[in-house]
Amino acid sequence: MFRFRDTIRLSTLYLVIRMFEAVRNNKRIAQVILVLISVTFGFFGIESYLNDRGTVGEVATVGGSPISAYEFEQAIREQQDRIRAANEGQVDAATFEDPLFRRAVLDNLVNQRLLSLFASEHRLSVSDAQLRDTIAGIPAFQEDGQFSNARYQAVLRGQGMNDLGFQERLRGELAYQQVLSAMGEAAMVPKSAVTRVLAAQLEERTVHMARFEPDRYLDSVEVSADEAKAYYDANIEQYAVPARVKLAYVVLSAETLKGSVSVSDDELRAEYEQTKETLGSPEERKASHILIQVAADAPEADVAAARSKAEGLLAEIKADPSKFEALAKTASDDPGSAANGGDLGYFARGAMLKPFEDAAFALDRGQMSELVRSDFGFHIIRVDDIRKATIPSFDEIRGRLEDTLRERAASRRFAESAEQFANIAYEQPDSLEPVANQFGLEIRSSEGWVEKGATTVLGYESPALSQAVFSSAAIESKHNTDAIDVGNNTIVAARVTAHEPAQRRSFDDVKDMVESQLRQQKAGEAAAAAGLAQLEALTKGEKAAELKWGEPIKLQRGLPMLPPNAMAAVFAVPSDTLPVYTGVSVPGAGYALFRVDAVKKAELPDNDPRLATVGEQYAQLMGAQDLRAFLSALRERYPVKINAAALTSDANG
């Protein structure tokens, strides 16, 4: 189905360049929070820094700042959702389990963290006024073009976020937008170059992949005692047992306070009257249209010709309304709806471009518009049906309202109690009992040991809490930690009940582990060598060993589903004669061999409206060369270390 907000599948780099322009000209950038900094799929291959194992709970550190397994898995889910949406859900689930995909997501997270560290180091701050303006400008938080606090809160709850957490995340992203907005100025590029770029981005290649995995070569490699000892000596810190502690702790949260909050019937009814318009389903229109396409910036002669054609069709339909569907099938330039007689289905406000939407929502059932001009051309719109907005009754929605008001009251009570909680834990540092008694809280104990370096402590993803429980005050002075904000309206105070310092394990203690790791490394090298040998044989036309090719994968240059080096390899091989072969080494995972079986070239007419958009993006790309160099320099300033083991789905799943 045709939707006017559909975007062409350009590379993530091009999308970000478009966002740079938005930052300069429009503060309403928070609509793209989740994809704002996806700059790395086209920049760097992660094999250049895949060399350290990291610590438990981390997949990487950037300048000493950890990227947790939780962050990594969340980023994977978000990228999966984007790819599924772009492919209308038709994506093989195995694609997302492949180490190639997971490595691409991690590379993206690393560059986000690089930019954040730079912004923090240079004190690039965002004022409260800027933050308020940005939030107020997000359409998802608006009603009738105005910011609605009720809708704002409802959207955040639907995403599992609280107000404070969302604002802090947005503040951080706006801060490093100040870095990005300084990257380069637009340059003029010829239309022929723009056409080539867009065609290249839309080109689709169908490939099969054969994997040369290290496990297949484990039995063929040997590790001598000298090799194992040398490997141990070179990586001795990797085999140390980190310091660890056992903890007692108390938790104060809005959720725990929620049970003590009551809400009156009057409060519920007042909330219902204030928010009932947002609780039901919005009004929807079912419409059909005929589009005569002409670009927004087309020459006047082209616009006049398109208008004349559209006026002729409108006159013909007015003379005989029954011709609408037939004319839509033969004359409409919208390929998504023409085959269905122009039918666009049901849509609410916000789904279409504003001129189209305004016209459709001004018509009654069965009415047809005059000509409507949008960025895509001239439309003839007919409203086929109207679904009125639905508002649930008070009784139907009472439970939800009560839950909302109790959450709100608990959040207020939490904000009022948090400072007192923190003061008691600090002022009476020798026991958690005073703060527990004051708020009626249970003193809990950690399950087992907590190792130093773990970012998940007591079930909370909190580097601050991890640092606090291993501080000298907590271990040597045996004091309570400060009250640590772990997010989601929750604070924790803890104290150490047992401590074991770090210990270095001898070679004899870890000999089996060292030999296993070294064998795995050698097996990976053997797998890569075997894959490269197969590629050379296939390239020469020689008969190669029987290979197990996977299911076909459709790749588009503008929608990276593999790491940059793999995408580059697949689209770099000439396609004059098919099949053609290419491959890449995958650090820690052997070798990936690709067979390109089909190539689908994009055909672009001169008046394709996407060319103007890509022209702007291409101009920004010229300035993006500075960004490439800048990110490379940041990697020197903030060293990147990757925990290779944590990249596997087994390690994180």
Side-chain angles (χ1 to χ4, degrees):
M1 184 187 301
F2 181 83
R3 284 289 182 270
F4 299 115
R5 290 186 177 181
D6 285 351
T7 56
I8 56 176
R9 297 176 180 174
L10 298 175
S11 70
T12 309
L13 170 60
Y14 283 16
L15 290 173
V16 173
I17 291 170
R18 184 64 171 167
M19 293 168 200
F20 296 167
E21 184 68 16
V23 172
R24 280 190 282 268
N25 299 330
N26 189 344
K27 292 183 179 180
R28 298 181 180 181
I29 60 174
Q31 302 167 51
V32 289
I33 290 172
L34 293 181
V35 293
L36 214 47
I37 306 297
S38 295
V39 298
T40 68
F41 286 102
F43 279 160
F44 298 97
I46 65 173
E47 68 276 6
S48 62
Y49 53 82
L50 188 61
N51 48 27
D52 286 273
R53 293 185 57 83
T55 56
V56 177
E58 299 173 8
V59 293
T61 59
V62 182
S65 173
I67 296 175
S68 69
Y70 173 81
E71 291 176 89
F72 180 46
E73 292 301 324
Q74 185 178 37
I76 284 175
R77 288 191 294 271
E78 291 172 357
Q79 185 64 10
Q80 288 172 346
D81 290 343
R82 293 187 199 110
I83 292 175
R84 288 192 186 100
N87 287 272
E88 299 179 351
Q90 303 301 312
V91 181
D92 186 353
T95 301
F96 298 136
E97 297 300 322
D98 195 289
L100 295 172
F101 172 78
R102 297 173 69 85
R103 290 173 191 276
V105 173
L106 179 59
D107 201 23
N108 190 45
L109 282 177
V110 166
N111 272 19
Q112 291 184 31
R113 187 61 54 84
L114 288 167
L115 291 168
S116 294
L117 290 174
F118 181 85
S120 176
E121 179 182 338
H122 289 79
R123 302 182 184 277
L124 299 179
S125 61
V126 176
S127 69
D128 291 342
Q130 288 176 298
L131 190 65
R132 286 195 301 270
D133 289 347
T134 300
I135 293 174
I138 299 175
F141 301 151
Q142 295 178 348
E143 289 182 19
D144 299 325
Q146 299 295 320
F147 175 75
S148 165
N149 186 62
R151 178 164 288 187
Y152 170 62
Q153 296 294 340
V155 171
L156 292 192
R157 286 196 304 273
Q159 295 297 318
M161 301 182 69
N162 60 39
D163 191 16
L164 179 62
F166 171 74
Q167 290 187 23
E168 286 306 304
R169 179 176 181 178
L170 178 56
R171 189 188 296 274
E173 295 190 7
L174 290 175
Y176 55 64
Q177 286 310 299
Q178 298 178 48
V179 181
L180 296 177
S181 64
M183 295 292 108
E185 296 297 330
M188 298 297 295
V189 293
K191 187 174 181 179
S192 59
V194 174
T195 302
R196 290 195 299 272
V197 167
L198 179 55
Q201 293 303 308
L202 297 177
E203 180 183 315
E204 183 178 276
R205 294 195 171 194
T206 300
V207 304
H208 289 74
M209 180 170 61
R211 299 296 300 272
F212 292 80
E213 297 172 333
D215 288 351
R216 292 164 50 188
Y217 299 87
L218 281 172
D219 293 339
S220 64
V221 299
E222 295 182 356
V223 175
S224 69
D226 289 341
E227 287 177 315
K229 183 60 166 62
Y231 188 84
Y232 167 82
D233 291 338
N235 299 276
I236 193 167
E237 294 301 327
Q238 177 180 322
Y239 300 104
V241 176
R244 57 184 190 169
V245 295
K246 289 185 178 180
L247 303 170
Y249 65 103
V250 289
V251 179
L252 180 71
S253 69
E255 187 63 28
T256 59
L257 296 171
K258 186 177 174 181
S260 62
V261 173
S262 60
V263 180
S264 69
D265 192 70
D266 289 343
E267 289 176 306
L268 289 172
R269 290 190 178 277
E271 179 72 9
Y272 175 75
E273 292 300 325
Q274 181 179 351
T275 63
K276 62 183 180 181
E277 298 293 337
T278 68
L279 299 175
S281 301
E283 180 179 325
E284 293 182 320
R285 298 294 170 104
K286 184 177 188 293
S288 300
H289 84 137
I290 296 174
L291 170 67
I292 302 303
Q293 190 171 345
V294 62
D297 58 351
E300 188 55 41
D302 292 347
V303 175
R307 185 191 301 275
S308 176
K309 181 179 179 180
E311 287 174 342
L313 292 170
L314 180 61
E316 190 172 352
I317 295 170
K318 285 182 175 180
D320 185 356
S322 66
K323 290 184 175 182
F324 188 100
E325 287 81 2
L327 290 174
K329 291 180 179 180
T330 58
S332 178
D333 291 329
D334 172 14
S337 67
N340 298 320
D343 185 6
L344 294 170
Y346 287 94
F347 54 88
R349 285 191 178 275
M352 302 294 186
L353 290 181
K354 195 172 188 306
F356 188 100
E357 177 183 285
D358 289 345
F361 278 84
L363 298 171
D364 288 330
R365 183 184 287 106
Q367 284 189 325
M368 186 174 67
S369 71
E370 297 297 322
L371 294 188
V372 176
R373 177 80 186 272
S374 79
D375 289 346
F376 287 87
F378 292 98
H379 308 266
I380 302 170
I381 304 168
R382 187 187 70 195
V383 172
D384 301 320
D385 193 17
I386 298 175
R387 288 177 178 167
K388 294 296 185 183
T390 60
I391 299 176
S393 69
F394 175 75
D395 290 336
E396 290 173 331
I397 207 70
R398 181 188 181 104
R400 278 177 54 191
L401 291 173
E402 184 173 2
D403 193 57
T404 297
L405 290 183
R406 288 177 63 203
E407 283 185 0
R408 197 177 299 167
S411 294
R412 288 196 299 268
R413 185 170 296 182
F414 171 79
E416 296 164 357
S417 304
E419 184 175 358
Q420 185 184 9
F421 178 97
N423 288 340
I424 295 174
Y426 176 77
E427 293 168 358
Q428 302 184 56
D430 296 327
S431 174
L432 293 173
E433 288 187 3
V435 70
N437 293 337
Q438 177 67 32
F439 294 97
L441 303 174
E442 175 190 1
I443 299 179
R444 310 177 194 176
S445 298
S446 60
E447 296 181 3
W449 294 94
V450 176
E451 292 188 343
K452 186 173 184 178
T455 56
T456 300
V457 179
L458 304 174
Y460 301 102
E461 181 67 23
S462 175
L465 181 57
S466 176
Q467 183 177 0
V469 299
F470 285 96
S471 67
S472 60
I475 293 175
E476 297 171 11
S477 303
K478 301 186 182 304
H479 286 171
N480 299 338
T481 68
D482 290 339
I484 306 297
D485 184 348
V486 295
N488 198 29
N489 282 344
T490 302
I491 53 177
V492 176
R495 65 181 295 105
V496 174
T497 58
H499 169 249
E500 288 186 358
Q503 301 176 20
R504 180 172 292 177
R505 289 183 287 182
S506 69
F507 174 67
D508 290 337
D509 289 339
V510 296
K511 181 179 179 181
D512 290 344
M513 182 189 304
V514 173
E515 290 179 347
S516 175
Q517 291 175 341
L518 192 50
R519 286 184 68 227
Q520 190 72 31
Q521 178 179 308
K522 284 190 168 187
E525 294 169 355
L532 185 59
Q534 289 286 357
L535 174 61
E536 291 176 351
L538 290 168
T539 302
K540 294 176 181 178
E542 299 174 359
K543 184 177 181 180
E546 185 175 345
L547 297 172
K548 183 179 179 181
W549 296 100
E551 295 297 316
I553 305 172
K554 288 188 176 181
L555 298 176
Q556 193 176 87
R557 194 191 305 263
L559 186 64
M561 294 177 64
L562 301 173
N565 60 338
M567 292 293 294
V570 167
F571 283 92
V573 290
S575 58
D576 299 336
T577 303
L578 297 176
V580 64
Y581 302 90
T582 187
V584 293
S585 293
V586 185
Y591 193 85
L593 180 64
F594 297 97
R595 186 184 75 212
V596 181
D597 293 312
V599 176
K600 183 180 179 181
K601 303 279 189 182
E603 297 182 2
L604 299 171
D606 290 340
N607 62 347
D608 193 308
R610 295 173 294 184
L611 290 172
T613 302
V614 178
E616 297 175 11
Q617 295 164 347
Y618 192 6
Q620 291 292 333
L621 180 60
M622 306 301 290
Q625 297 301 322
D626 289 340
L627 179 60
R628 181 196 296 268
F630 179 67
L631 287 171
S632 180
L634 290 185
R635 288 167 182 263
E636 296 295 326
R637 179 179 299 199
Y638 309 114
V640 176
K641 296 182 179 180
I642 301 299
N643 179 358
L647 280 173
T648 65
S649 57
D650 289 342
N652 295 283

